[in-house]
């Protein structure tokens, strides 16, 4: 796969391309800076010619940033018809424990200095390096995960490059709908509500990327994992899917996931090793006040608890907070 990495520098106020660079798989580069309108037109034609041998156009945030700016500046560029791969979109799949891998400009080589902050050639080369790291990491993923990602990320003609990438990684063409849904079902088993998981599997595929990111997060959930804020912003359905699968208890008696992670005593045992909550102070009608508060908070309800000193108030917010982090990676803010 012959790749051409592209990076643009765009004026924040003018929204005009001020500089551009392209680097091919052999390390050859094209760099044009300080572009006025006439120089920009010439530079874009040179870029189009330089892209000639490339099979794939590559970049970091290429699909939602660079390509729209190129399309606005010169909609007749031939390179706009090439398959496109976006290293930003691939990173949460390849590195679910650390999706910011190599994403902060130049932090790897210590070049975060003023004169290098806007260096499109350096960033284009970094995108190529990142892509190689991503390809290596993706190749180590499990068979079901790769199959699901292949199916979910290649729905549409404009995603042909992702199809080609996963086909090369799997040594197999895009999976059929039944095979993909079976794989997604296996990936969700024991990691999400069985009832809601079944519904998600039945409707899986539209849209594809949010569920792909959810599956990546679930593969490392409960540890040092994070779903990047840009994913939640650009693909809000990802956060909604995650909450639907793991943050809402169903009433099915055979759903082991919900019986376990949505049970206050099970979560108390998981995080603190205690078998039960304190009996005192008790609710007016009987039963542990600690448990009542935790159950209400875990269910997402509003609760005001007034307990005397030494009665275990901290546990009342710690258990719901830890449980929610485990289920969805959510942050709980405590004001004390």
């Amino acid at each position: 796969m012959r790749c051409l990495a592209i990076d643009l520098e765009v004026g924040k106020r003018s929204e005009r391309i001020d500089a551009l660079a392209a680097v091919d798989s052999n390390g050859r580069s094209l760099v044009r800076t300080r572009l006025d309108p006439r120089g920009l037109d010439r530079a874009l034609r040179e870029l189009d010619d330089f892209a000639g041998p490339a099979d794939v156009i590559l970049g970091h945030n290429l699909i939602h940033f660079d390509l729209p700016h190129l399309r606005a500046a010169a909609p007749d560029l031939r390179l706009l018809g090439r398959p496109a791969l976006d290293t930003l979109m691939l990173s949460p799949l390849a590195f679910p424990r650390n999706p910011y891998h190599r994403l902060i400009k130049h932090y790897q080589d210590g070049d975060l200095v003023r004169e290098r902050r806007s260096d499109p050639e350096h960033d284009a080369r970094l995108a190529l390096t990142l892509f190689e790291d991503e390809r290596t990491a993706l190749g180590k993923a499990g068979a079901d995960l790769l199959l699901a990602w292949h199916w979910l990320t290649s729905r549409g003609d404009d995603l042909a490059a992702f199809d080609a990438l996963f086909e090369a990684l799997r040594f197999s063409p895009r999976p059929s709908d039944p095979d993909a849904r079976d794989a997604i079902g296996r990936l969700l088993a024991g990691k999400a509500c069985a009832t809601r998981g079944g519904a998600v599997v039945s409707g899986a595929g539209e849209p594809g990327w949010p569920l792909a990111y959810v599956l990546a997060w679930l593969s490392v959930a409960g540890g040092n994992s994070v779903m990047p804020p840009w994913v939640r912003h650009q693909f809000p359905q990802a956060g909604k899917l995650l909450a639907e699968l793991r943050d809402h208890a169903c009433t099915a008696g055979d759903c082991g996931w919900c019986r376990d992670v949505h049970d206050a005593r099970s979560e108390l045992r998981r995080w603190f090793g205690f078998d039960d909550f304190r009996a005192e102070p008790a609710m007016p009608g009987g039963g542990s006040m600690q448990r009542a508060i935790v159950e209400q908070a875990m269910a997402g309800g509003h609760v005001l608890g007034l307990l005397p000193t030494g009665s275990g108030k901290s546990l009342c917010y710690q258990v719901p907070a830890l449980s929610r982090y485990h289920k969805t990676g959510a942050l709980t803010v405590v004001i004390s």
Side-chain angles (χ1 to χ4, degrees), residues 185-223:
R186 290 191 294 271
L187 291 167
L188 292 178
K191 294 185 177 181
C193 170
T195 303
R196 291 185 168 85
V200 166
V201 169
S202 297
E206 293 295 344
W209 279 94
L211 183 53
Y213 290 132
V214 168
L215 294 176
W217 188 87
L218 287 177
S219 71
V220 294

Side-chain angles (χ1 to χ4, degrees), residues 15-70:
E15 286 291 306
R16 189 175 61 82
I17 299 172
D18 294 330
L20 61 83
V23 180
D24 67 17
S25 299
N26 296 318
R28 297 186 309 121
S29 64
L30 171 76
V31 182
R32 297 293 182 266
T33 60
R34 299 180 181 179
L35 297 171
D36 58 24
R38 182 178 298 178
L40 174 60
D41 183 68
R42 182 170 57 252
L44 290 174
R45 302 306 158 190
E46 291 173 332
L47 174 64
D48 213 20
D49 292 338
F50 189 73
D55 300 313
V56 172
I57 304 301
L58 180 76
H60 197 65
N61 203 15
L62 175 77
I63 290 176
H64 294 99
F65 180 79
D66 299 276
L67 290 183
H69 279 290
L70 288 173

Side-chain angles (χ1 to χ4, degrees), residues 6 8 38 46 48 63 66 76 89-90 94 115 130 137 150 166 182 199 230 238 254 275-276 283 285 293 319 329:
I6 293 176
L8 307 180
R38 182 178 298 178
E46 291 173 332
D48 213 20
I63 290 176
D66 299 276
D76 60 336
M89 295 175 70
L90 286 172
E115 60 268 23
L130 172 58
H150 190 174
F166 283 104
D182 286 346
W230 75 262
D254 60 348
D275 289 327
D276 210 343
M283 295 290 288
I293 292 171
V319 172

Side-chain angles (χ1 to χ4, degrees), residues 73-95:
D76 60 336
L77 290 175
R78 298 186 304 276
L79 67 85
L80 293 173
R82 303 286 175 84
L85 274 174
D86 196 319
T87 55
L88 177 64
M89 295 175 70
L90 286 172
S91 282
L93 305 184
F95 314 114

Side-chain angles (χ1 to χ4, degrees), residues 101-224:
H101 176 79
R102 292 182 181 267
L103 304 194
I104 299 175
K105 288 186 178 181
H106 320 315
Y107 87 92
Q108 289 278 354
D109 54 14
D111 284 338
L112 188 56
V113 292
R114 182 178 300 276
E115 60 268 23
R116 294 296 296 273
R117 283 181 179 168
S118 297
D119 186 339
E121 181 184 3
H122 192 86
D123 293 343
R125 292 187 184 278
L126 192 62
L128 281 172
T129 302
L130 172 58
F131 177 59
E132 290 305 318
D133 289 349
E134 288 174 337
R135 188 154 51 177
T136 299
L138 289 168
K140 297 176 182 178
D144 277 345
L145 203 49
L146 273 177
L147 188 152
W149 286 341
H150 190 174
W151 187 69
L152 290 166
T153 64
S154 57
R155 300 179 69 85
D157 295 337
D158 57 338
L159 299 175
F162 293 97
D163 183 22
L165 170 63
F166 283 104
E167 181 171 335
L169 290 170
R170 296 181 56 242
F171 302 100
S172 182
R174 190 172 185 275
S176 66
D177 291 4
D179 286 347
R181 290 194 170 98
D182 286 346
I184 293 169
R186 290 191 294 271
L187 291 167
L188 292 178
K191 294 185 177 181
C193 170
T195 303
R196 291 185 168 85
V200 166
V201 169
S202 297
E206 293 295 344
W209 279 94
L211 183 53
Y213 290 132
V214 168
L215 294 176
W217 188 87
L218 287 177
S219 71
V220 294
N224 183 24

Side-chain angles (χ1 to χ4, degrees), residues 75 100 131 288:
Y100 298 102
F131 177 59
S288 167

